[in-house]
Amino acid sequence: MRFNLVLALFLLPLTALAVKKASTDRFETFLARSQAQSPLKLDDASYDDLTSTPRDFAVIILLTALEARFGCHLCREFQPEWDLIGKSWIKGNRQGNSRVIYGTLDFSDGKGTFQKLMLQTAPLMLLFPPTEGPGAKAVTEPIRYDFTLGSQTAEQVYAWIVRHLPEGPKPEFSRPINYLRIVVITTTILGAISFFSVASPYIMPIIQNRNLWAAISLITILLFTSGHMFNHIRKVPYVSGDGKGGISYFAGGFSNQFGLETQIVAAMYGVLSFATIALALKVPRMVDPKQQQVAVIVWSGIMFGMYSFLMSVFKVKNGGYPFRLPPFW
């Protein structure tokens, strides 16, 4: 009996040493594989091996579904960012001093793991802290990172990982320079400058044309004073029935409006504006007195008739308005 007790006490340190050595050998094996590919591509067996306890290193795994038949757009959007995190980490930590392994488990390669974890959505990132050694935690459950806010940048996820890892050396994240983007932007800017230099003799007279800007300003003013933004904010109907089988083009009251009503009012304002401009600018420049007289009568008649129509519309909007102007009584 005493011999068995002594033998057990002698073998206990050797057993603990063997377990620790096995965990260390496992880390070295996965670290060597990470030198060629980081994050590691996992399946059910390698996932279980990597996350098994005891473990003196941290493991970060992204569970995803990249195939198009799964319809996970978020998975495909985040995957380049995740690959960038893994490559940046292994680049700054070739010796494995941080003792962290990155891996990716796709649904097509790890259906058993997804079923075991009872996952219904992807992507999901799991961070397994070490269970022994420096920074070890007694809780074996992983820390979850859910992508509830949509796709995340590599910088955001990297910062979350660093916050939840034990104390120790952590490489800085570095996003590689996108030379193609620099070339495209530079080429676009130079092309725009060249085009403007060549086309400026033809474009500048158009841009500096006062009549063009006056027309644009007038159209914009008419558009917004007629209630265009009101329609977009309130989502008003285009027309409505009048309750008698007909169509009502104007909504009664100041707080109601139809889409077609806005267009009619804008057209009325446009005709009135054009008539005013013609009487103020065009008619005085006519050389023939008879043509000038006819133009004054015509434009004045148009203005008078349009004001009459405008007042009749205002009467519909405000039934208590007492004034009217012929011919639209």
Side-chain angles (χ1 to χ4, degrees), residues 125-327:
M125 189 171 67
L126 300 178
L127 191 154
F128 295 84
T131 59
E132 61 179 20
K137 293 186 177 181
V139 180
T140 59
E141 291 298 319
I143 305 172
R144 300 167 63 105
Y145 183 91
D146 294 300
F147 294 80
T148 54
L149 299 178
S151 182
Q152 304 289 310
T153 64
E155 288 81 1
Q156 292 173 310
V157 177
Y158 198 89
W160 181 88
I161 292 173
V162 170
R163 286 199 306 270
H164 289 82
L165 285 176
E167 293 294 332
K170 301 178 183 67
E172 293 292 332
F173 176 79
S174 60
R175 185 179 289 272
I177 300 174
N178 191 341
Y179 293 101
L180 178 61
R181 183 179 181 183
I182 295 175
V183 171
V184 170
I185 293 175
T186 304
T187 304
T188 303
I189 293 175
L190 293 177
I193 294 174
S194 301
F195 174 79
F196 185 78
S197 300
V198 174
S200 58
Y202 308 98
I203 297 177
M204 290 306 296
I206 299 176
I207 296 178
Q208 296 175 349
N209 190 296
R210 291 186 300 174
N211 294 332
L212 174 63
W213 288 108
I216 294 175
S217 301
L218 184 60
I219 292 173
T220 304
I221 292 170
L222 294 176
L223 186 66
F224 286 99
T225 55
S226 61
H228 176 73
M229 290 306 299
F230 181 92
N231 294 346
H232 278 273
I233 295 172
R234 296 290 185 89
K235 306 296 182 183
V236 300
Y238 191 67
V239 292
S240 179
D242 60 359
K244 302 178 182 179
I247 298 176
S248 178
Y249 300 102
F250 300 97
F254 293 118
S255 60
N256 300 313
Q257 187 171 278
F258 296 144
L260 182 58
E261 175 184 340
T262 299
Q263 299 174 4
I264 295 175
V265 171
M268 287 191 295
Y269 287 163
V271 172
L272 288 171
S273 301
F274 192 75
T276 303
I277 293 172
L279 287 172
L281 301 179
K282 300 296 181 181
V283 174
R285 298 176 183 176
M286 292 183 176
V287 179
D288 190 345
K290 291 185 178 180
Q291 291 183 355
Q292 190 180 57
Q293 185 178 14
V294 172
V296 170
I297 295 173
V298 170
W299 286 115
S300 298
I302 293 174
M303 184 179 293
F304 185 85
M306 193 55 61
Y307 265 120
S308 175
F309 182 53
L310 181 62
M311 292 182 69
S312 66
V313 171
F314 190 76
K315 180 71 174 177
V316 175
K317 303 293 291 183
N318 182 11
Y321 190 67
F323 303 106
R324 300 189 179 205
L325 189 67

Side-chain angles (χ1 to χ4, degrees), residues 11-25:
L11 293 177
L12 184 61
L14 296 179
T15 304
L17 182 63
V19 170
K20 183 175 181 181
K21 186 176 186 302
S23 176
T24 303
D25 291 343

Side-chain angles (χ1 to χ4, degrees), residues 58-74:
V59 178
I60 306 170
I61 298 177
L62 177 70
L63 295 100
T64 184
L66 296 175
E67 293 187 17
R69 60 193 176 100
F70 300 129
C72 183
H73 300 288
L74 182 58

